[in-house]
Every structure is written in C-alpha cells, then in structure tokens.
Amino acid sequence: MRVVLLGTAGGPALRPGRSSPAAAVIVDDVPYLVDCGYGVGRQLVDAKIGVATLRAIFITHHHSDHNADLGNLLVLAWASGLRTPVDAYGPPLVTDLVELALRYHAYDIAIRIPDEGRPDPRTLFAAHEIAAPGLVYQDERVRVEALLVPHPPVVPAYAFKFTSRDRVVVFSGDTAYSEALADFARGADMLIHEVVLESALDRLLKLVPNATRLREHIVAGHTEAVDVGRIAALADVKHLVLSHFVPSYDPTLTDADWSDPVRLHYSGTLTLGKDLLALDA
Ligand SMILES: [Zn+2]
Ligand SMILES: [Zn+2]
C-alpha cells in the first residue's frame, strides 16, 4: 500500500504553497482517493496517477476544502478516458453533489457522448451515503472503515481506515482531539493526521475580517500539534504523517515549529506532509 499526498493545506482559502486536501491510497496499482479539494485532478496528473483508473472516492465531510472538486474530478476523469465505474462515498449529500455535477456539466456530457463515442457517465458514477460509522467499502484489495470524529459544527465528519492484506493506514479527516481516533488507529502502519499550530494562528487571522469567529472554529474543530503527538503515541502508530496544515501558508514557520510540539509525546517515525509526496505504508 502506498499513500500519495495530493494536497496538504487546511481550510478553503486559496493560498500559495500547498494544494487543497486530497490523498491517494494505491493498492496493487489501483488508486482510491480520500477527499477532493480544489485542484485534485491536476494533482493526480502531476503525481502520475491515471485518473481513468480511479476505483473509489471517500469524502470525510462536506467542508468545501474537502469536496469542492468531487464533481469536477468525476466528469474530467470521464473526459480523460474513464470507462470503468467509480464509487463515491461520503456523508449524506454526497448523492446530491454527484447529481449536481452531472447537471452542471450536462451540456458538455450530451455533446461528447455522440461526438467522441464516450460511455454515458451516469452509468459510471455511483454515490453512496455513509449514514453511520463502520465498514463502508470492501473489495478484493482493501477494506475501508469509517469512524465519527468531532469536527463541530459539521456532523457527520469521518476518519477512514484502509486495511489491505498486510497494511493499515488511517486518515484522521478534520477532527478535534479524539481518543476514539487513537483507538481506531491502534497499531496502524501509518496515521495521516490534521494539524493546527495555534501559536501561528494570530498572524494568519490578521488577514481576515472575521478573525474571532474563525479562531473559535479552528480551535474547537481541529487538533493542536502537541495533541497530534499525544494521539499518535496513544495509538502507538509506526509512522505519523502531518497534513491539513493550519496555517497552510506562513513562510516564517520552520519544520521544527511543526515537529517540536509533536515530539513532546511521539517518538515514532514522523513525516511533515508535502504535496505530491509518496510514502510506502
Ligand atoms: Zn478541512
Ligand atoms: Zn473541515
């Protein structure tokens, strides 16, 4: 199992440096996606992952940094040669997002089917609403389970666990500190966890007019770097990968600013995620 980080920024604001949240899990050369932030299609192409080979997509929650390009990715993968079914899993509303994407692109789709001899994409895309945690998906390569995580006010928000023949990889999704997540990730080969650096927030928030509300949201719904280390230590994961960086763009921050607080509690392998970084689980 291989994980490719496609976008490692946190939050919907478009900033330089990092692309919006998305990652690929590749099992026996078949790609599965976690989240579809803006630009995911371009990131897949730059990572040399064939968009026409996509098998399934898992959306953690419906903040726009995680779902903005779900519909675009499906339709553009079809325009790039996709001929096999893609299943999209996510909290309720995922069905609407897929249907609305087909409507948004209806004119283009109607033209290309006869003009370019493509299959009808409505026969390729299937949306599945994850109404409750537990086993979400299973095929001959991988099993995917969902856990409810606290990300107020978004309900539900899910973490996902991918289990292949010999590897376990867990994605935290967006979550506040959660010991249930540590249980869910117990002994995993890799935990990809979101991270916020509260000490750097005030510089970021100087740029926006709704700073106080935004700060409250970030602190209530996300996990401070020191607590990410606590969770990884509690879970005893072999490899912790930081992603969904908040702030996502602050050229004054060093790698040590992120890793030092994590290292207070966690001594296993630690990677600071970067866009297009590929890691063996
Ligand atoms: Zn997010
Ligand atoms: Zn979120």
Side-chain angles (χ1 to χ4, degrees):
M1 188 148 45
R2 200 153 51 92
V3 172
V4 183
L5 303 176
L6 299 168
T8 55
L14 300 170
R15 299 195 199 283
R18 295 180 186 272
S19 192
S20 297
V25 177
I26 300 169
V27 190
D28 299 342
D29 293 328
V30 177
Y32 302 79
L33 287 191
V34 177
D35 285 332
C36 285
Y38 168 72
V40 61
R42 164 55 49 196
Q43 294 298 92
L44 280 165
V45 170
D46 285 346
K48 301 191 169 44
I49 298 170
V51 290
T53 64
L54 279 179
R55 179 61 202 90
I57 299 172
F58 301 87
I59 301 293
T60 57
H61 65 295
H62 288 309
H63 266 141
S64 59
D65 48 329
H66 298 258
N67 69 13
D69 261 359
L70 170 63
N72 286 333
L73 176 65
L74 288 170
V75 173
L76 297 173
W78 167 78
S80 303
L82 179 82
R83 289 183 165 268
T84 50
V86 178
D87 291 290
Y89 293 80
L93 292 180
V94 71
T95 312
D96 301 66
L97 296 183
V98 173
E99 279 173 15
L100 288 166
L102 288 164
R103 275 175 56 197
Y104 187 101
H105 292 284
Y107 180 82
D108 176 87
I109 289 168
I111 285 176
R112 286 188 200 279
I113 292 172
D115 193 38
E116 299 175 3
R118 296 182 188 278
D120 185 337
R122 284 159 290 208
T123 65
L124 299 180
F125 307 150
H128 309 270
E129 304 202 335
I130 309 173
L135 182 65
V136 168
Y137 176 87
Q138 185 159 24
D139 64 19
E140 63 279 18
R141 289 172 290 270
V142 73
R143 189 156 52 94
V144 181
E145 295 158 86
L147 172 80
L148 270 175
V149 286
H151 183 47
V154 178
V155 179
Y158 290 116
F160 290 123
K161 175 157 62 180
F162 287 72
T163 306
S164 70
R165 274 184 305 278
D166 54 357
R167 288 289 186 274
V168 176
V169 170
V170 174
F171 291 84
S172 70
D174 282 13
T175 181
Y177 177 82
S178 167
E179 293 187 0
L181 175 63
D183 284 340
F184 186 65
R186 179 95 47 220
D189 295 286
M190 185 182 287
L191 170 63
I192 295 100
H193 202 296
E194 68 130 278
V195 63
V196 56
L197 212 52
E198 236 183 287
S199 57
L201 275 186
D202 294 322
R203 276 200 300 275
L204 164 80
L205 293 175
K206 278 204 190 94
L207 306 172
V208 298
N210 53 331
T212 309
R213 283 291 299 126
L214 191 55
R215 190 181 215 294
E216 285 168 11
H217 157 77
I218 290 171
V219 172
H222 297 277
T223 307
E224 172 78 5
V226 65
D227 285 334
V228 177
R230 280 196 179 94
I231 291 295
L234 261 176
D236 196 22
V237 295
K238 297 181 183 72
H239 187 172
L240 171 65
V241 180
L242 302 184
S243 191
H244 197 281
F245 290 84
V246 176
S248 64
Y249 179 71
D250 181 342
T252 68
L253 291 176
T254 64
D255 284 357
D257 289 326
W258 296 98
S259 58
D260 286 355
V262 174
R263 282 297 188 203
L264 293 175
H265 297 281
Y266 178 71
S267 56
T269 306
L270 174 63
T271 297
L272 306 187
K274 288 185 170 50
D275 288 11
L276 303 181
L277 181 64
L279 298 159
D280 287 318

